[in-house]
Amino acid sequence: MSSYIPETPDKGHRLRFVTLSQQLLALAVVVAVLTPAARTVTMDVRPAQPVDVVPSEVALQSAPVEVPTKAVESEVDQYALTTPKGKSASAKVRASLRVAKQASVKGEQVIDSDVVPVDGYGTVGVTWAPGTRLDDDAIDIQVRTRTGSTWSGWTAAEYHDEHGPDPRTEEGKHARPGTDALLVGDVDAVQVKVTTEDAAPADMKLAVIDPGKASTTAKEQPAIDTAKLATDGSTDVPPAEEPDPTDGTGTGGEDLSLQAGAFTPKPKIYSRAQWGADERIRDKPSLSYYEVHAGFVHHTVNANNYTSAEVPGIIRGIYSYHVRTRGWSDIGYNFLVDKFGRIWEGRYGGVDRPVVGAHTQGYNQYSFAMSAIGNYDTAQPSSAMVTAYAQLFAWKLSLHGVRAASTSQRVGSSTFQAINGHRDAGSTACPGRYLYAQIPTIRKKAAALQASWTGRNLESNMVGVQQPDIVARRASDGRGFVLPIRASGSGYAFSSAIDTGQSFKGLKKIWKAGDWNRDGYVDVLGIRSSDNMLVIYRGLGGGKLAAPKTLMSNAGRIGLLAPVGDMTGDGWPDLMGQPVNGVMRIYPGQGMDGFKSSYPAYAAVAGGVQIGVGRWNAADGAPDSLVRQGGKLTMYYGNGPGGWTSSKTLVQTATGYDWFLGVSSVDGDGHTDILARNATSDNVYWIRGTAAGLREPALIGKKAGYDLAG
């Protein structure tokens, strides 16, 4: 497996990791009562109509939906319209072309294709040779269909050169330019007319896709529930990009429980298996992850008169067109949503992870996209669809610490709002005038659904008052104590030490781990010197701890290991660490059950200690970390499940301190602070954290006689 460093100046150490281990999860939304539709597709453009359906078409969200129970194989027929690059237009080559007529009209080249058959609920598109760049207005492609003896009118197959993978990626280098997939439905035949300013591009092909028919179906709920494990086995697990023997001794990633920031509502999603994805055709090694800073709203430009039962086939048609015709590694969108308000998993890799898609060229590495099934330049989106967008975007942005109402998100080298239409990133009509008009409503609803980020902080108050505490080991006998801090006059001071009731003898590291098991009390983690086991001492309140229990084996081989708060946004505190000769990894916690499968989160970093500091930048919701190398302090900024995104070396140093501990805010200003002990004097200082760095140290008191602290 491979990884690479993107060519982005401010992200010089951020790896894009390929084929990582993470089980898929997914989400569901409110489905409103929605108007019936015929199976035949009318190609003529009509005034905007609401896309509503009666209860017989789809009931409430709780009603099961008919979906395939096995992968469905699609059929793709491609018809050559121009000669391939580098090949002469010999009589034999010309005879193989499916061209009914070719002419030059007023300096323009016009090609009429043969009339070709359509099987199944068809999807069509036109592509041409990789590396051929055409402006949007340099080519016009019209499509018409025949049902029986009746022809439809001509309609445009949309082409925009910014739809697709980023050109510098391996996926982009092999991609074929072309139109968007155009759903034609149950028709008998199709014909295309291509008009170009100059000679038509080489190796132009008309693709006609039959999405196949499921051999077996069943009525099912969405398989991916972001509040609990998908138990139907419909989502497989990608193999680990870098196997890690230090994974937890609990369920090891087999029981995932995903919540967005512990507060944002957790919708449900129909899985890839539920639309019949044939996983054999996607390019598995190309799976990659990066960052999420924003989301984009798209539409598929399909006809709007599809039925509930036709949706899985529509998605399969788009998938096959993207992979087998355009040459992409997978379906381009991260999610799709139908007019009934149902969300469907798109590109493989885990709905909670920052999977790099092929949807908004130039911005794929920094965003995700959901595409509305239908043409919303000619129809109004249903209220259920708008609600689904709000719920999905609220949840997904929340995972990555992005506020839905943000108007200034750095996406690559540009600045966007947190929620955007595709047209905001390029010269395209996508997602259609009527869906685009709903984006302010989507932003407003998504912002209302998001809640406080405070649940993702690394909690460090063990005795029930505002100020955080230090947990420490008494050097003389290894006894564990809590060293509480209290307001004192205009400053802060230590109050009486509290015996935890437990011995820390034999430990080589200790940390406050936040409320690890979510019972309302702060817990303590430690690593035993004798066997390198990671153990947990459950908090009992009032500074008391329960006897230790094992959470992870081989923890001693993980350098820079530290609690970081809820990095993954699932409501459980997590660890980050760097195995010997490895890269920085996230170890997603799941309480007393140990850990889910770990995965890479950043390139290897140099340092002696990682200091989890929670949400250092209080404006976002993702935890951050300091890494100490001697006296040098480097801040690494988090992007939730995507890991770290960038770093900044602080002007302040940790020189002279033997304790340098990240704690929740001492003065209640919302910023994480530092408690540090001078190695010579044993004086302990409060160092206030701000978004810009650290303030001057303020003395709290002296703490001698303790040899280990967290």
Side-chain angles (χ1 to χ4, degrees):
M1 303 303 170
S2 62
S3 58
Y4 75 90
I5 300 174
E7 303 171 34
T8 309
D10 62 336
K11 308 290 182 184
H13 291 83
R14 180 67 163 91
L15 286 180
R16 185 179 85 169
F17 294 97
V18 180
T19 317
L20 310 182
S21 172
Q22 177 79 346
Q23 187 149 352
L24 302 181
L25 301 172
L27 66 136
V29 288
V30 182
V31 175
V33 177
L34 299 166
T35 66
R39 285 177 63 81
T40 4
V41 174
T42 302
M43 305 294 289
D44 300 313
V45 175
R46 295 173 294 171
Q49 300 292 326
V51 192
D52 291 326
V53 225
V54 292
S56 61
E57 186 61 43
V58 61
L60 297 177
Q61 171 238 324
S62 57
V65 172
E66 195 84 19
V67 297
T69 57
K70 296 179 181 178
V72 181
E73 186 174 354
S74 301
E75 292 185 14
V76 179
D77 292 315
Q78 298 198 67
Y79 303 94
L81 302 180
T82 61
T83 57
K85 271 187 175 180
K87 289 197 175 181
S88 62
S90 64
K92 184 177 180 181
V93 170
R94 287 197 303 270
S96 69
L97 301 181
R98 298 301 296 270
V99 174
K101 183 173 66 175
Q102 188 166 359
S104 178
V105 181
K106 296 181 180 179
E108 294 181 329
Q109 301 298 311
V110 181
I111 296 174
D112 288 337
S113 78
D114 283 343
V115 176
V116 298
V118 177
D119 294 318
Y121 203 70
T123 297
V124 302
V126 176
T127 66
W128 46 92
T132 307
R133 293 192 61 84
L134 293 175
D135 292 336
D136 290 2
D137 57 1
I139 188 168
D140 177 68
I141 300 174
Q142 300 285 320
V143 180
R144 67 173 183 167
T145 62
R146 193 191 73 215
T147 305
S149 59
T150 303
W151 283 98
S152 73
W154 291 97
T155 192
E158 291 198 13
Y159 160 66
H160 301 287
D161 64 1
E162 71 274 8
H163 285 208
D166 296 331
R168 290 186 300 173
T169 64
E170 284 304 309
E171 183 179 11
K173 290 174 184 176
H174 303 293
R176 289 176 62 87
T179 68
D180 292 337
L182 181 65
L183 177 74
V184 294
D186 263 336
V187 298
D188 296 320
V190 66
Q191 184 181 30
V192 300
K193 181 192 296 289
V194 180
T195 305
T196 57
E197 292 179 347
D198 301 309
D203 199 24
M204 181 173 282
K205 295 178 181 178
L206 165 62
V208 181
I209 299 165
D210 173 2
K213 185 169 287 188
S215 58
T216 58
T217 62
K219 289 188 175 181
E220 295 179 352
Q221 298 282 0
I224 308 175
D225 188 337
T226 60
K228 61 185 179 181
L229 173 69
T231 57
D232 67 352
S234 60
T235 55
D236 56 325
V237 184
E241 178 266 355
E242 182 182 343
D244 179 17
T246 62
D247 276 344
T249 55
T251 61
E254 294 301 315
D255 182 18
L256 306 185
S257 174
L258 189 67
Q259 303 172 40
F263 300 105
T264 300
K266 302 168 288 295
K268 299 176 184 177
I269 305 169
Y270 286 89
S271 70
R272 288 171 63 91
Q274 289 180 302
W275 51 262
D278 183 352
E279 301 294 358
R280 297 172 300 176
I281 71 171
R282 65 181 174 86
D283 182 16
K284 296 176 177 62
S286 69
L287 173 63
S288 61
Y289 301 90
Y290 202 62
E291 300 166 16
V292 167
H293 295 247
F296 286 96
V297 176
H298 287 247
H299 71 158
T300 63
V301 207
N302 290 335
N304 301 294
N305 55 349
Y306 56 86
T307 67
S308 173
E310 289 163 347
V311 171
I314 292 171
I315 300 175
R316 291 196 302 274
I318 297 170
Y319 174 48
S320 292
Y321 181 66
H322 285 178
V323 176
R324 298 176 64 184
T325 305
R326 299 294 303 273
W328 300 356
S329 65
D330 196 349
I331 192 169
Y333 311 115
N334 300 100
F335 305 93
L336 298 99
V337 59
D338 60 33
K339 65 184 180 181
F340 311 108
R342 302 172 308 197
I343 299 172
W344 300 80
E345 178 185 17
R347 183 162 285 213
Y348 183 90
V351 294
D352 61 319
R353 299 291 303 285
V355 177
V356 176
H359 46 79
T360 312
Q361 197 173 95
Y363 305 103
N364 291 314
Q365 287 190 317
Y366 304 90
S367 63
F368 71 96
M370 182 159 77
S371 194
I373 298 174
N375 185 345
Y376 296 97
D377 214 33
T378 63
Q380 295 281 358
S382 66
S383 60
M385 177 178 282
V386 172
T387 298
Y389 263 110
Q391 289 197 313
L392 186 282
F393 277 59
W395 172 81
K396 181 64 174 174
L397 291 170
S398 175
L399 290 182
H400 300 279
V402 178
R403 297 185 184 278
S406 174
T407 59
S408 182
Q409 289 296 121
R410 195 68 176 171
V411 184
S413 59
S414 303
T415 301
F416 290 89
Q417 299 195 59
I419 299 175
N420 311 274
H422 187 189
R423 67 172 63 179
D424 295 320
S427 55
T428 171
C430 184
R433 73 187 82 173
Y434 298 110
L435 181 53
Y436 187 77
Q438 290 296 320
I439 290 179
T441 300
I442 292 170
R443 289 181 184 132
K444 184 176 180 180
K445 288 186 174 184
L449 288 169
Q450 286 187 328
S452 169
W453 305 120
T454 55
R456 300 183 71 171
N457 277 333
L458 180 60
E459 295 299 327
S460 48
N461 184 322
M462 296 185 66
V463 293
V465 295
Q466 176 181 320
Q467 285 74 34
D469 317 298
I470 294 174
V471 61
R473 182 175 69 184
R474 189 164 61 189
S476 61
D477 60 1
R479 195 74 175 167
F481 285 86
V482 175
L483 310 179
I485 297 170
R486 300 288 182 270
S488 176
S490 59
Y492 299 92
F494 284 111
S495 59
S496 299
I498 299 172
D499 190 331
T500 64
Q502 297 297 328
S503 172
F504 291 163
K505 193 172 183 178
L507 298 183
K508 59 182 178 181
K509 291 182 180 179
I510 55 173
W511 306 274
K512 289 194 299 293
D515 186 4
W516 188 264
N517 63 345
R518 303 198 305 193
D519 65 353
Y521 301 113
V522 172
D523 307 306
V524 173
L525 296 179
I527 295 181
R528 290 200 299 246
S529 300
S530 60
D531 57 10
N532 284 325
M533 291 287 188
L534 178 72
V535 297
I536 182 169
Y537 297 80
R538 290 184 300 105
L540 302 175
K544 299 298 182 182
L545 297 173
K549 291 188 175 182
T550 301
L551 282 183
M552 178 193 287
S553 60
N554 291 328
R557 70 178 295 276
I558 308 175
L560 298 176
L561 188 66
V564 292
D566 180 12
M567 177 64 77
T568 57
D570 65 354
W572 299 94
D574 306 309
L575 302 185
M576 289 184 69
Q578 185 168 283
V580 176
N581 299 322
V583 299
M584 184 60 64
R585 302 179 76 92
I586 291 176
Y587 295 84
Q590 50 183 8
M592 299 305 292
D593 290 326
F595 298 86
K596 307 165 193 173
S597 297
S598 72
Y599 58 88
Y602 202 73
V605 300
V609 179
Q610 181 186 181
I611 303 155
V613 294
R615 292 163 44 249
W616 188 269
N617 179 10
D620 69 30
D624 310 308
S625 288
L626 280 172
V627 171
R628 176 180 179 178
Q629 186 177 23
K632 178 184 174 183
L633 293 170
T634 304
M635 178 64 69
Y636 289 88
Y637 296 99
N639 188 237
W644 292 341
T645 62
S646 59
S647 64
K648 172 186 176 183
T649 300
L650 302 187
V651 296
Q652 300 88 351
T653 75
T655 301
Y657 296 110
D658 60 349
W659 296 356
F660 208 81
L661 313 173
V663 294
S664 52
S665 177
V666 172
D667 60 357
D669 69 350
H671 280 287
T672 300
D673 295 329
I674 300 294
L675 296 176
R677 187 177 76 169
N678 184 281
T680 303
S681 67
D682 291 327
N683 285 334
V684 178
Y685 296 89
W686 164 44
I687 306 176
R688 184 182 171 204
T690 70
L694 298 170
R695 296 291 181 89
E696 290 299 313
L699 180 65
I700 293 177
K702 184 184 290 286
K703 280 298 172 186
Y706 296 93
D707 64 353
L708 203 60

